[in-house]
Every structure is written in structure tokens, then in C-alpha cells.
Amino acid sequence: MSTCTTASRDLDEPLAGTAATARTWLLLEQPGPWGPKALTSSHLDPVLGRALEAAAEGTGVRIALIRRPGRHADCGTPAIRQVYAAHTVPGKVWLHAATTSEPERLLDLDLGALGRGDPRTFEAALQGRPHTGDPLAFVCTNGRRDRCCALLGRPLAAELTTSGADGVWEVTHLGGHRFSPTLLVLPFGYAYGRAQAPHVKEVLHGVQEGRVVLEGCRGRSAWERPAQAAELAVRTSAHEYAADALTVVRTEGAAPRWEVTVAHTDGRLWRVLVAQGASLPPRPDSCGAALGSPARMDVVSVRELHSAAAADPAHC
């Protein structure tokens, strides 16, 4: 059976620069089935879902629903729901957890503050505290958005759970159906595609050590897509795997061409030229969709600069 994932894999479509963008993730447990737009088409009150969507707009916060791997029969409203919030910008990374029996209390959150990396609103509204367990892996399994997410994502989440991996959840939508199975790893916010269980375990082990595994990496959600591709290219060029060693300090230009400046905590700088191309030959970006040419981020060059002053256009 031909699917969007088999077409993408057979055509060797690159993964870098394809992650969903979010400085902060807000994840709410909601068991049961999910519709295409889960916040308003699940067993979560759709009025609450619409209010959360509106509140998050323009804040840098992305809201998604999560559930434990396994069967998703309707067992009624859960008494206690897990909630996570994570800020993914290097140097300010945090992951907090809370539980609540009143999901409407998420409307008490100052999502603008969360998007800026301030966790105090999460602490005040939900009595949230820093997450002290293992890193978290969120596998996209929403088959109502694309069948590949269910066909490939649900077995991956189940296999990881059965094998004893802690902190594995199913999540509603991470974008890029054609890269399924896809997952997001917190706290650092790196996304992965075409994932297999042994690889995910390696990724989670790396997170525990503060490292980034580059194989299968789509990018860090804190950055827009050109910057995601640029940061991964610098990591490859410099053999730098420490998660918070690099940050994107500037992105100049507009589609189809950008110059991205990436900084190391030791003072080194790189200028990366990224061009937007079209994926050819045409392929579906989702199962059942018409053939198209999805945008791709191609790194044209990676150039290390000699000093911080060199990053300033006035000194170039």
C-alpha cells in the first residue's frame, strides 16, 4: 500500500528544517478518540478547546493533547489529568509538570508569559513543579489527521512502552505526516522523523546526558524552519552535540533565501546560507492529498566567522 510516508522515504526527502515551531509547548492529557483538530474534536469540551486556541495565538505557545499509549475506548472523563509545559529556547530550557481535575484552569495561564519562558504562571495556576523524571517522548498517533500517524505511530509508542521506556506519550499533531513515525522530545524540543524504537531509546539516552542525536532529527522547535536547518548543519560541521551549546542569534532575509547566524556558548559564530527549494518529483504531503512539491530547506553553505564583531553587518 502506497502512503505519503513511503513516497517521502523512497524519494529520500530531507528531514532537517521540518519541525513544528514552538518556543513553549503546553500538553494536556485527554484520553479517548481524537478528531482531525483534536482541541475541538475530541472529548475535551470544544468550547474550552476553542478558547485555548484563541489564547495561544501569537504567543509562541503550541497546545496539544496527549494520552497514554494503548487502547482509547471512551472510559468517561478522567478524574486527574497530566499537564506539561516546556520552554525550549537554549539557555532558558525548563520542563514543568502538574496534574489537574479541572482542565478549564488552563485558561488562567498567562500564555504570553509562558511563550517568553516564564514558568511562574504555570506554578501559580496549576501548582506546577519542575519535572524530575526521565525525558519525555511524544509520538504523533492522530490517525484522523493522517492514517500514517496511526499505522506507524501507535505501534512505535506501544513498543517503547512495552520495552520499559518511561515518559512515552501519544500526542495529537506534530506536523509532517509524511515523516511518520514522528516524535517530539522534551525538554530540549527536538523533533524526529521516520523513528524506530532503538533509535528513540538512543535519543532519550542522549537527552539524559544533555546531547542531541542528529540522525533522523527534524530540528529544534524553538526556531523557525530555516534556522532549524542551519543549526543542524552547524552541529554536523562542528561535531557539536551538547544540546544547549548552540543558539540562533539572527535570521535575515525572506523566502526563498536566508542568512542565519548561529552562536556557540564558547564565542564561536557561523553564518549559514539557507535556500528554500521544492521537493521534486511531486509527492503527496499527506495521505489522500493531491501531488505537490513540499518546501524543503537546503543548506547552501556554512561559514565560521572569526569574531563576534563579524556577525554584525556593519563590520562585514
Side-chain angles (χ1 to χ4, degrees):
M1 177 177 62
S2 178
T3 63
C4 63
T5 56
T6 56
S8 176
R9 182 182 290 107
D10 290 347
L11 294 170
D12 198 24
E13 187 175 353
L15 292 168
T18 67
T21 56
R23 293 191 303 272
T24 301
W25 290 85
L26 180 60
L27 303 155
L28 170 66
E29 183 178 4
Q30 177 57 59
W34 297 331
K37 295 186 177 180
L39 279 177
T40 55
S41 55
S42 68
H43 291 175
L44 183 71
D45 180 355
V47 174
L48 172 59
R50 283 191 291 271
L52 287 170
E53 285 180 336
E57 189 171 351
T59 64
V61 176
R62 187 178 177 109
I63 304 174
L65 302 182
I66 59 175
R67 63 191 177 196
R68 296 288 187 182
R71 297 186 61 188
H72 304 125
D74 181 8
C75 298
T77 302
I80 300 295
R81 301 168 189 253
Q82 184 69 52
V83 188
Y84 295 107
H87 190 64
T88 63
V89 175
K92 298 192 296 182
V93 169
W94 50 259
L95 171 59
H96 285 210
T99 56
T100 185
S101 59
E102 303 171 286
E104 61 273 13
R105 294 194 53 190
L106 271 67
L107 293 175
D108 296 333
L109 293 168
D110 181 345
L111 296 186
L114 273 186
R116 293 189 297 272
D118 185 348
R120 289 176 293 180
T121 181
F122 192 75
E123 297 165 355
L126 297 171
Q127 288 73 58
R129 295 291 181 268
H131 173 70
T132 56
D134 290 336
L136 303 178
F138 299 90
V139 181
C140 183
T141 63
N142 191 351
R144 292 294 300 278
R145 287 194 70 103
D146 190 282
R147 62 181 178 178
C148 286
C149 296
L151 290 173
L152 302 174
R154 291 193 64 191
L156 173 62
E159 182 180 355
L160 289 168
T161 301
T162 301
S163 68
D166 291 326
V168 177
W169 293 81
E170 298 185 7
V171 67
T172 47
H173 182 49
L174 297 176
H177 317 298
R178 62 192 184 279
F179 305 124
S180 296
T182 63
L183 69 143
L184 171 76
V185 179
L186 294 177
F188 297 125
Y190 283 93
Y192 291 83
R194 303 178 187 139
Q196 301 298 319
H199 177 235
V200 176
K201 291 179 180 179
E202 180 186 354
V203 168
L204 292 173
H205 181 68
V207 174
Q208 286 182 312
E209 297 181 342
R211 292 185 294 106
V212 179
V213 172
L214 297 184
E215 181 186 356
C217 192
R218 301 175 62 194
R220 190 168 190 157
S221 70
W223 315 128
E224 296 296 326
R225 291 183 177 181
Q228 293 174 11
E231 189 234 27
L232 292 178
V234 171
R235 287 192 178 280
T236 300
S237 174
H239 305 287
E240 178 54 77
Y241 308 109
D244 275 352
L246 299 180
T247 191
V248 174
V249 296
R250 183 180 297 113
T251 300
E252 298 173 295
R257 205 168 182 86
W258 299 265
E259 281 192 350
V260 182
T261 304
V262 179
H264 195 289
T265 51
D266 65 11
R268 284 180 290 166
L269 291 164
W270 291 264
R271 183 159 292 155
V272 185
L273 182 60
V274 180
Q276 179 176 302
S279 298
L280 295 173
R283 80 287 312 274
D285 65 3
S286 186
C287 287
L291 295 180
S293 299
R296 54 185 283 171
M297 296 296 147
D298 295 320
V299 172
V300 177
S301 63
V302 178
R303 180 166 60 95
E304 186 172 354
L305 306 177
H306 297 298
S307 67
D312 185 342
H315 292 79
C316 295

